[in-house]
Amino acid sequence: MSSSSYCLTEIQRRIDEVKQFLSITLNIANAHTVEFYTQDAWNRFTAVPPQEVLSTFSSCNDGSDQQREPQHRAKDQSKTTFGFCNETDRLVDACELLRAARAHSLPGLGVCMSRDELLQALRESRAESRAPAAAMGAEMETDEFMNSKKSHEVQSMSEVVACLAQHCGVKQVIDVGSGKGYLSSFLSLQYGLQVYGIDSSSSNTHGAQERNRKLKKFSRAYQKHNKAARAQGKAAHSPQEVSEEIKPGVEGDEDSSHVDGVGLSQEEEKERDSEPNQEQDFFLSALSVDVMQPSSPRVPSSQLTDEERERRKRESLERKAQNRTSANEMFSPLTSYVTAETELRELIDELEDAVMVGLHTCGDLAPSTLRMFVAKPELSAVCSVGCCYHLLSEEFDPAGQECLHGVCGFPLSQYLRQGSWFCGRNARMSACLALERVSLGQGIQMESLFYRAVLHVILRDHYSSFKSEKRVGNVYSKAKSFVDYVHRALLRLELDESKLSDRDIQDYHDTYKPRMAEMHAFNLLKVTLAPCIEGLILLDRLCYLKEQEDLSFSALVQLFDPLLSPRCYAVVGLKN
């Protein structure tokens, strides 16, 4: 398979373009929303009214930005860069900024392959080598046992992983940060791959083991029903019918947060908390008939000789041992905290050449996955989709607080490391925002952000500990009003509530309420910059693979619909 059409020097050139854009605009992304009013962020970074940003953002989304002229366009365009005044470093042209942001996002840079393009390239390569197509089981309906987001992700990614395994001629997959095992289970059942799911959370591993136990339980129930049906001269039961009949006896898994050795975004936690407990029942009902092994009619035990009873007992023990081995071969969940230095052969005794995958691996685990792929000769291919960029550690953090354990998650490439590039945690947090969703009116809870920013003003004015390390937490969801919110927050921070009356607290709310549009507009600017910051992080990872000499192919691939799954890009690599 030929290398991606984008060579190392081309990727480096695109990185330089994004760096130049972010060097002008990154201050906005690094401004903390909590300090929005205490630091007067709007007037520090912008010289336009918030209504202009709001209307420009709206017009850009409906495609009418080409006809609009900004209300406060600079008199001399040569004195602005990406909409910022060269003298004051403040935003003076929102329309120019939004256009530049689109040009410096991954779609604007034009460096990504589509999922269909990657699959086509892999299939053409397979046809040239005359290799057989990847084996598939009966088609499984994933939306019966996953929510729509997870179903979309698992189906889209599993086909790519199966094609990568086929291209490399391997049958093993290592799923790093496997969580509840959705991707791992689908790869093993749908494509017959031997999958090792590694997760740092023992509760996730236990949940995966429980699924294997329920799979065997369902298999026994299916055989029992079929044997009874044959004895009565009836048709065999379908897996769906059996699942419905045994459903009361199937226990639901305990819900557990997905831990990838680093952390988990609130979006992912809410997604998993909202999933029904009956998901495993639907999973079992989707199994194809060919994974079940019905037993043949048997002579009643009362009519058996002693030798026959002993033979059947021995066969039964052998079958149970074989079933345990077969179940383990389908999907083997392992509990381990993995880094780039982890020796995979110490975790997996039966390890052969394999494809390494990661679906929404958090923080530093995504770059560690790529480092493992490069360092381990037994890994033939990689398909990594990262998330939770705010949990990345940065090597060139000026405060020296993020990279405490030697190896950092960003930058990964030698090219960016030579320039000592630094993003900042708030900018990486901004990179997690979902532009496509916000464009449709989803994604930003403005009132909760407003409450927190005004609370910070109160803490500054009346309490000396407003810069305390203590966190307010999610008190907004329980608060009935702003006054109630402040009381709950002060209680959480262990501060004296008697300093302020309810009237004093409400006065703060009423004073800053007219400025809420500033916060809304400012957050839209952050959302606009999000794809550019994410793009730089992902281009850095692609550049790292391009810098390796033993890779035959590497690319950024859009695997998912960004409306369903905002972290939609995969870093894909193949060794020679």
Side-chain angles (χ1 to χ4, degrees):
M1 183 172 173
S2 61
S3 177
S4 166
S5 58
Y6 301 102
C7 63
L8 175 61
T9 55
E10 180 67 15
I11 297 302
Q12 291 173 341
R13 187 175 70 82
R14 301 303 171 90
I15 286 176
D16 289 341
E17 292 175 8
V18 180
K19 281 173 56 182
Q20 182 185 10
F21 174 72
L22 291 179
S23 68
I24 303 296
T25 61
L26 202 59
N27 284 337
I28 285 182
N30 268 318
H32 204 302
T33 306
V34 167
E35 300 173 337
F36 183 76
Y37 295 120
T38 58
Q39 298 292 329
D40 196 18
W42 183 258
N43 291 318
R44 280 178 62 201
F45 297 113
T46 73
V48 296
Q51 290 75 18
E52 178 175 330
V53 173
L54 294 172
S55 61
T56 301
F57 188 87
S58 177
S59 64
C60 282
N61 289 328
D62 62 24
S64 59
D65 60 315
Q66 299 295 332
Q67 287 74 41
R68 289 192 72 261
E69 287 294 323
Q71 301 168 17
H72 291 261
R73 180 176 291 279
K75 293 182 180 179
D76 187 352
Q77 287 289 299
S78 64
K79 295 183 179 180
T80 65
T81 305
F82 305 129
F84 285 79
C85 175
N86 294 336
E87 296 178 357
T88 64
D89 295 331
R90 297 168 71 196
L91 178 67
V92 294
D93 191 337
C95 192
E96 184 182 350
L97 172 61
L98 265 64
R99 288 173 180 168
R102 283 188 298 189
H104 291 87
S105 66
L106 288 179
L109 293 169
V111 294
C112 294
M113 295 180 73
S114 70
R115 175 178 171 275
D116 289 342
E117 288 172 337
L118 175 63
L119 290 173
Q120 181 65 26
L122 289 170
R123 287 165 181 155
E124 289 176 354
S125 175
R126 185 181 67 223
E128 291 174 3
S129 63
R130 298 183 180 181
M136 285 186 60
E139 188 67 26
M140 297 171 61
E141 298 296 334
T142 55
D143 54 3
E144 290 187 3
F145 56 94
M146 305 177 199
N147 62 33
S148 58
K149 176 179 181 290
K150 184 60 64 179
S151 174
H152 170 66
E153 293 166 352
V154 167
Q155 283 191 314
S156 298
M157 188 168 182
S158 61
E159 186 177 4
V160 169
V161 174
C163 283
L164 288 171
Q166 178 65 28
H167 174 84
C168 298
V170 303
K171 295 293 290 182
Q172 290 188 353
V173 174
I174 300 174
D175 184 4
V176 181
S178 54
K180 291 185 176 182
Y182 290 122
L183 177 64
S184 298
S185 298
F186 193 79
L187 283 169
S188 61
L189 288 171
Q190 185 71 19
Y191 294 98
L193 294 167
Q194 183 179 9
V195 185
Y196 297 96
I198 305 176
D199 198 276
S200 65
S201 168
S202 58
S203 61
N204 280 339
T205 304
H206 175 71
Q209 290 169 336
E210 282 294 289
R211 288 180 181 83
N212 280 342
R213 181 184 66 80
K214 291 170 185 176
L215 177 62
K216 289 184 285 186
K217 178 179 179 179
F218 179 75
S219 176
R220 290 194 298 269
Y222 178 76
Q223 293 177 25
K224 180 180 178 181
H225 278 261
N226 272 2
K227 184 162 64 176
R230 281 193 300 271
Q232 299 172 14
K234 297 179 180 179
H237 290 254
S238 69
Q240 289 79 1
E241 291 171 333
V242 176
S243 177
E244 288 299 320
E245 294 187 32
I246 69 170
K247 193 173 288 187
V250 178
E251 303 168 2
D253 282 338
E254 295 181 2
D255 188 39
S256 59
S257 294
H258 179 73
V259 182
D260 291 323
V262 183
L264 179 67
S265 68
Q266 292 179 352
E267 175 189 340
E268 295 292 330
E269 287 175 342
K270 291 177 181 177
E271 171 203 330
R272 290 183 174 88
D273 288 341
S274 66
E275 292 170 1
N277 290 332
Q278 294 84 4
E279 60 196 11
Q280 295 0 299
D281 306 332
F282 292 123
F283 175 76
L284 295 175
S285 71
L287 287 174
S288 58
V289 176
D290 57 1
V291 303
M292 308 305 173
Q293 298 296 328
S295 56
S296 57
R298 315 193 77 160
V299 178
S301 58
S302 60
Q303 301 178 17
L304 296 175
T305 63
D306 291 342
E307 292 81 1
E308 183 66 15
R309 285 195 187 94
E310 184 63 29
R311 186 183 66 81
R312 291 197 173 187
K313 182 179 178 180
R314 186 169 60 252
E315 289 179 351
S316 177
L317 291 173
E318 291 174 355
R319 272 197 307 273
K320 287 180 179 179
Q322 187 177 17
N323 287 340
R324 282 194 296 270
T325 303
S326 177
N328 289 334
E329 285 177 354
M330 291 170 58
F331 169 36
S332 301
L334 307 169
T335 301
S336 179
Y337 183 95
V338 295
T339 66
E341 288 74 37
T342 299
E343 287 296 333
L344 296 175
R345 295 193 183 277
E346 294 180 2
L347 293 177
I348 306 169
D349 293 334
E350 307 83 5
L351 182 63
E352 302 171 358
D353 287 352
V355 176
M356 176 162 278
V357 303
L359 174 54
H360 290 150
T361 47
C362 296
D364 284 349
L365 187 56
S368 290
T369 299
L370 299 179
R371 285 191 172 107
M372 276 191 283
F373 165 66
V374 168
K376 313 296 182 187
E378 61 268 26
L379 298 177
S380 303
V382 67
C383 182
S384 170
V385 181
C387 70
C388 304
Y389 301 127
H390 59 293
L391 297 174
L392 279 171
S393 60
E394 291 201 59
E395 181 176 356
F396 301 104
D397 175 18
Q401 297 179 348
E402 293 191 346
C403 193
L404 302 177
H405 305 291
V407 180
C408 294
F410 180 85
L412 188 61
S413 68
Q414 190 63 32
Y415 188 70
L416 265 184
R417 293 181 69 236
Q418 287 174 349
S420 303
W421 182 264
F422 173 72
C423 278
R425 188 179 189 278
N426 290 334
R428 288 182 279 108
M429 181 76 80
S430 298
C432 298
L433 297 170
L435 174 62
E436 290 80 9
R437 289 183 175 179
V438 174
S439 299
L440 295 179
Q442 309 169 13
I444 297 183
Q445 300 294 328
M446 283 308 306
E447 188 175 66
S448 65
L449 296 175
F450 173 72
Y451 278 16
R452 183 62 184 87
V454 178
L455 171 66
H456 206 63
V457 177
I458 293 174
L459 295 176
R460 180 198 63 185
D461 292 350
H462 298 277
Y463 300 91
S464 59
S465 58
F466 79 102
K467 291 186 178 181
S468 170
E469 292 299 320
K470 295 180 180 178
R471 295 186 179 274
V472 173
N474 185 25
V475 300
Y476 172 79
S477 61
K478 302 175 183 178
K480 299 176 181 177
S481 64
F482 178 71
V483 173
D484 185 32
Y485 171 86
V486 172
H487 282 303
R488 289 175 180 270
L490 293 176
L491 187 64
R492 178 71 64 86
L493 295 172
E494 300 178 351
L495 298 175
D496 183 8
E497 298 178 65
S498 64
K499 281 189 175 184
L500 292 168
S501 67
D502 289 357
R503 182 67 261 171
D504 293 334
I505 295 173
Q506 188 61 40
D507 284 345
Y508 273 96
H509 176 277
D510 297 343
T511 298
Y512 284 93
K513 181 69 173 178
R515 297 183 59 187
M516 192 171 177
E518 294 177 2
M519 176 173 278
H520 188 193
F522 199 81
N523 275 283
L524 289 183
L525 292 178
K526 282 191 166 190
V527 170
T528 300
L529 297 176
C532 308
I533 303 168
E534 179 183 34
L536 182 64
I537 293 171
L538 295 179
L539 284 171
D540 171 57
R541 294 174 184 179
L542 177 61
C543 186
Y544 170 75
L545 293 187
K546 296 286 184 186
E547 291 171 347
Q548 313 307 315
E549 295 181 354
D550 61 339
L551 266 64
S552 61
F553 175 85
S554 56
L556 284 176
V557 183
Q558 183 176 334
L559 287 188
F560 312 134
D561 179 346
L563 279 175
L564 281 174
S565 182
R567 306 282 75 79
C568 61
Y569 294 103
V571 181
V572 176
L574 287 165
K575 288 181 180 173
N576 290 323

